[in-house]
Amino acid sequence: MNRAVPLVCLMLLLAGCVGQDPLSSEPSPSATQADPVTTTAATAQTSTPTSEVTTAPPPQNPFRSDPIRVGYVVADGAKNRSYEQTVKGALTFWNNRSDGSYDANYTFVSDPSEAQILIRFVDEITYCDGYDNSTVGCAPILEKHETAAPSETVRIEDDYALTSTRDIIVHELGHTRGLVHEDGAALPIMNETIDALLIPEQNLENRSYGWNTTEFRVYFDTAGTVSSVEEDDYRQEVREGWEYWVSETDHLEKDISYRFVDSPEAANVVVKIRDHEGVRWEYWALNTDSDDNLEQYENATLYVGERNPDYIDYNTAHALGYLLLNAENESQLPEPFDGDDEFGDVERWTD
């Protein structure tokens, strides 16, 4: 089963608090009046001119500064990549532009604690003001008259190629300038959807281990093929086939585990007994990036032949070899499945 991601939705979070601008009016000057002094002799009066001290009003934006400091962090669970140049590229887009509720430029800071806008790269955004988990970016909408928090957070999913990540950052920074999706007609980067490329991943055909998990949930489907009297014996045979790969081989690059489950819906591997020779299998795989190739197995069904019921364990292990080693033919399987000796150590599979 393929999963394509031709379009990515960019959602936003309505946030920000409205407050009175504490600097919107000049303070009233105060004056002191001296008591009058009477003298009998004429006195000369001198005066010292005073200069008026004026303070320039702060920039009229929610952060009351220009430039606005922007930094980033990579959250736990996110892919550990450097985004500095990507963030700087997004800042360059906005610098010296007047789009939005206010004018402001940006400067990058390497210390996240100094950031007035902190971009947090996360593995997944599960909530953004009611939007579902198709969201890839989330940011507050800030208007000119509002007062920003000391550090406003913008969240960006980290599954996308750097060129697409830059566009997502540009979009989310647009929200912090008060822009909304309806502004996309005049400024396309603010459209609600955007073409985005996922990070290219290694294709399934080039992987030595093609699963996205090492924990297998196995359902043994006996319907119409195995009687209730035989079921326990066959289940033990299937179990021994799994045990070969779990505990008695070093051919896998990862340690795997398995457990039997009570329904096919709960399983990622279903084992069925069929009246035929050898084994065959079907699998479902995912396309997890933006090309047309498959990248990882999702689930599989093994059809194990009962030519000789004593060798159900062998046939199960044989079929698993193809799926766990992502093998194309027997020559890529270890003994006893490489075709040189049909059952290898016969005693192993007939005990």
PDB file of all heavy atoms in Angstrom, residues 29-44:
ATOM      1  N   PRO A  29       5.135  65.891  32.716  1.00  0.00           N
ATOM      2  CA  PRO A  29       6.286  66.469  33.431  1.00  0.00           C
ATOM      3  C   PRO A  29       5.870  66.921  34.822  1.00  0.00           C
ATOM      4  O   PRO A  29       4.751  67.371  35.047  1.00  0.00           O
ATOM      5  CB  PRO A  29       6.670  67.647  32.534  1.00  0.00           C
ATOM      6  CG  PRO A  29       5.423  67.988  31.799  1.00  0.00           C
ATOM      7  CD  PRO A  29       4.679  66.701  31.590  1.00  0.00           C
ATOM      8  N   SER A  30       6.753  66.764  35.749  1.00  0.00           N
ATOM      9  CA  SER A  30       6.481  67.209  37.113  1.00  0.00           C
ATOM     10  C   SER A  30       7.297  68.464  37.403  1.00  0.00           C
ATOM     11  O   SER A  30       8.324  68.708  36.798  1.00  0.00           O
ATOM     12  CB  SER A  30       6.815  66.086  38.103  1.00  0.00           C
ATOM     13  OG  SER A  30       8.163  65.729  38.003  1.00  0.00           O
ATOM     14  N   ALA A  31       6.830  69.309  38.337  1.00  0.00           N
ATOM     15  CA  ALA A  31       7.523  70.568  38.651  1.00  0.00           C
ATOM     16  C   ALA A  31       7.582  70.744  40.154  1.00  0.00           C
ATOM     17  O   ALA A  31       6.693  70.314  40.887  1.00  0.00           O
ATOM     18  CB  ALA A  31       6.800  71.761  38.021  1.00  0.00           C
ATOM     19  N   THR A  32       8.613  71.376  40.599  1.00  0.00           N
ATOM     20  CA  THR A  32       8.726  71.732  42.013  1.00  0.00           C
ATOM     21  C   THR A  32       8.763  73.254  42.118  1.00  0.00           C
ATOM     22  O   THR A  32       9.337  73.930  41.269  1.00  0.00           O
ATOM     23  CB  THR A  32       9.992  71.136  42.628  1.00  0.00           C
ATOM     24  OG1 THR A  32      11.131  71.619  41.917  1.00  0.00           O
ATOM     25  CG2 THR A  32       9.958  69.616  42.583  1.00  0.00           C
ATOM     26  N   GLN A  33       8.157  73.806  43.155  1.00  0.00           N
ATOM     27  CA  GLN A  33       8.103  75.260  43.341  1.00  0.00           C
ATOM     28  C   GLN A  33       8.793  75.621  44.650  1.00  0.00           C
ATOM     29  O   GLN A  33       8.448  75.111  45.709  1.00  0.00           O
ATOM     30  CB  GLN A  33       6.647  75.727  43.380  1.00  0.00           C
ATOM     31  CG  GLN A  33       6.518  77.238  43.489  1.00  0.00           C
ATOM     32  CD  GLN A  33       5.084  77.679  43.383  1.00  0.00           C
ATOM     33  OE1 GLN A  33       4.201  76.846  43.261  1.00  0.00           O
ATOM     34  NE2 GLN A  33       4.859  78.978  43.433  1.00  0.00           N
ATOM     35  N   ALA A  34       9.777  76.533  44.557  1.00  0.00           N
ATOM     36  CA  ALA A  34      10.524  76.952  45.742  1.00  0.00           C
ATOM     37  C   ALA A  34       9.753  78.040  46.494  1.00  0.00           C
ATOM     38  O   ALA A  34       9.030  78.840  45.904  1.00  0.00           O
ATOM     39  CB  ALA A  34      11.897  77.479  45.332  1.00  0.00           C
ATOM     40  N   ASP A  35       9.918  78.061  47.823  1.00  0.00           N
ATOM     41  CA  ASP A  35       9.321  79.132  48.619  1.00  0.00           C
ATOM     42  C   ASP A  35       9.985  80.464  48.257  1.00  0.00           C
ATOM     43  O   ASP A  35      11.193  80.521  48.025  1.00  0.00           O
ATOM     44  CB  ASP A  35       9.537  78.859  50.107  1.00  0.00           C
ATOM     45  CG  ASP A  35       8.724  77.656  50.560  1.00  0.00           C
ATOM     46  OD1 ASP A  35       7.692  77.374  49.923  1.00  0.00           O
ATOM     47  OD2 ASP A  35       9.155  76.995  51.534  1.00  0.00           O
ATOM     48  N   PRO A  36       9.199  81.557  48.255  1.00  0.00           N
ATOM     49  CA  PRO A  36       9.807  82.860  47.930  1.00  0.00           C
ATOM     50  C   PRO A  36      10.761  83.307  49.044  1.00  0.00           C
ATOM     51  O   PRO A  36      10.537  83.045  50.211  1.00  0.00           O
ATOM     52  CB  PRO A  36       8.592  83.790  47.824  1.00  0.00           C
ATOM     53  CG  PRO A  36       7.545  83.123  48.671  1.00  0.00           C
ATOM     54  CD  PRO A  36       7.772  81.654  48.519  1.00  0.00           C
ATOM     55  N   VAL A  37      11.829  83.986  48.628  1.00  0.00           N
ATOM     56  CA  VAL A  37      12.824  84.483  49.581  1.00  0.00           C
ATOM     57  C   VAL A  37      12.879  86.007  49.473  1.00  0.00           C
ATOM     58  O   VAL A  37      13.015  86.540  48.383  1.00  0.00           O
ATOM     59  CB  VAL A  37      14.211  83.875  49.314  1.00  0.00           C
ATOM     60  CG1 VAL A  37      15.253  84.463  50.281  1.00  0.00           C
ATOM     61  CG2 VAL A  37      14.145  82.368  49.433  1.00  0.00           C
ATOM     62  N   THR A  38      12.772  86.754  50.609  1.00  0.00           N
ATOM     63  CA  THR A  38      12.812  88.227  50.612  1.00  0.00           C
ATOM     64  C   THR A  38      14.163  88.682  51.126  1.00  0.00           C
ATOM     65  O   THR A  38      14.629  88.222  52.172  1.00  0.00           O
ATOM     66  CB  THR A  38      11.717  88.796  51.509  1.00  0.00           C
ATOM     67  OG1 THR A  38      10.445  88.304  51.047  1.00  0.00           O
ATOM     68  CG2 THR A  38      11.730  90.305  51.494  1.00  0.00           C
ATOM     69  N   THR A  39      14.772  89.618  50.409  1.00  0.00           N
ATOM     70  CA  THR A  39      16.064  90.150  50.831  1.00  0.00           C
ATOM     71  C   THR A  39      16.002  91.663  50.811  1.00  0.00           C
ATOM     72  O   THR A  39      15.192  92.258  50.112  1.00  0.00           O
ATOM     73  CB  THR A  39      17.202  89.675  49.891  1.00  0.00           C
ATOM     74  OG1 THR A  39      16.923  90.165  48.580  1.00  0.00           O
ATOM     75  CG2 THR A  39      17.299  88.161  49.878  1.00  0.00           C
ATOM     76  N   THR A  40      16.871  92.285  51.563  1.00  0.00           N
ATOM     77  CA  THR A  40      16.906  93.761  51.596  1.00  0.00           C
ATOM     78  C   THR A  40      17.945  94.283  50.635  1.00  0.00           C
ATOM     79  O   THR A  40      17.987  95.473  50.401  1.00  0.00           O
ATOM     80  CB  THR A  40      17.254  94.221  53.014  1.00  0.00           C
ATOM     81  OG1 THR A  40      18.480  93.635  53.426  1.00  0.00           O
ATOM     82  CG2 THR A  40      16.154  93.806  53.988  1.00  0.00           C
ATOM     83  N   ALA A  41      18.755  93.450  50.144  1.00  0.00           N
ATOM     84  CA  ALA A  41      19.773  93.915  49.223  1.00  0.00           C
ATOM     85  C   ALA A  41      19.495  93.300  47.866  1.00  0.00           C
ATOM     86  O   ALA A  41      18.940  92.215  47.737  1.00  0.00           O
ATOM     87  CB  ALA A  41      21.172  93.503  49.706  1.00  0.00           C
ATOM     88  N   ALA A  42      19.852  94.082  46.853  1.00  0.00           N
ATOM     89  CA  ALA A  42      19.663  93.582  45.502  1.00  0.00           C
ATOM     90  C   ALA A  42      20.556  92.385  45.278  1.00  0.00           C
ATOM     91  O   ALA A  42      21.719  92.368  45.689  1.00  0.00           O
ATOM     92  CB  ALA A  42      19.969  94.689  44.491  1.00  0.00           C
ATOM     93  N   THR A  43      20.028  91.386  44.617  1.00  0.00           N
ATOM     94  CA  THR A  43      20.835  90.192  44.318  1.00  0.00           C
ATOM     95  C   THR A  43      20.856  89.971  42.823  1.00  0.00           C
ATOM     96  O   THR A  43      19.896  90.260  42.100  1.00  0.00           O
ATOM     97  CB  THR A  43      20.254  88.953  44.988  1.00  0.00           C
ATOM     98  OG1 THR A  43      18.911  88.751  44.542  1.00  0.00           O
ATOM     99  CG2 THR A  43      20.246  89.091  46.517  1.00  0.00           C
ATOM    100  N   ALA A  44      21.945  89.491  42.383  1.00  0.00           N
ATOM    101  CA  ALA A  44      22.083  89.161  40.960  1.00  0.00           C
ATOM    102  C   ALA A  44      21.534  87.760  40.742  1.00  0.00           C
ATOM    103  O   ALA A  44      21.789  86.838  41.521  1.00  0.00           O
ATOM    104  CB  ALA A  44      23.554  89.243  40.543  1.00  0.00           C
TER     105      ALA A  44
END
